[in-house]
Amino acid sequence: MQSKYLLAGLTIGFILAGCSSQKGPKQRSLCSESWYEYVESRVPTGDGMGHGPDLGSMEWRSVVEFKLGLRDQNLLPDRSNDSWCTSIDQFLKAHDE
């Protein structure tokens, strides 16, 4: 009888552990909606009144580059390439507050 409860307890524990693991900013999938939101929280692109480029758009990526002081320095991959997100993510990690 005790082994039945132990097995049930372990199963519930594993399920809860899997459900409770949330990804922090450093673990988000790059070029995903959640990653764009993370970058936006670090590098606001709007005007403070709800106006700004759509997250993840080429215009948004350009504004992010500008705000980080990276535009026109030929340091980043093309904005349309997913490796752009990797470069921005590395830059933000290197300049963590």
Side-chain angles (χ1 to χ4, degrees):
M1 187 78 142
Q2 288 179 337
S3 63
K4 189 187 327 182
Y5 290 116
L6 178 62
L7 180 60
L10 286 173
T11 302
I12 291 171
F14 285 125
I15 291 171
L16 291 176
C19 292
S20 67
S21 64
Q22 295 181 353
K23 295 181 177 183
K26 295 177 180 170
Q27 298 172 329
R28 295 182 194 279
S29 298
L30 300 181
C31 290
S32 67
E33 191 66 28
S34 63
W35 184 80
Y36 297 142
E37 290 169 0
Y38 161 69
V39 173
E40 182 68 21
S41 74
R42 296 278 312 273
V43 187
T45 60
D47 62 4
M49 299 174 63
H51 305 106
D54 294 334
L55 294 184
S57 68
M58 293 303 117
E59 179 185 9
W60 179 83
R61 291 179 184 210
S62 177
V63 174
V64 168
E65 287 179 13
F66 176 77
K67 294 236 176 174
L68 293 175
L70 299 172
R71 191 188 293 160
D72 300 327
Q73 292 189 22
N74 297 322
L75 299 173
L76 297 172
D78 188 79
R79 289 181 201 119
S80 63
N81 192 316
D82 282 353
S83 60
W84 180 90
C85 297
T86 302
S87 296
I88 294 298
D89 197 65
Q90 290 171 349
F91 183 88
L92 291 174
K93 286 177 183 174
H95 295 87
D96 264 342
E97 298 174 286

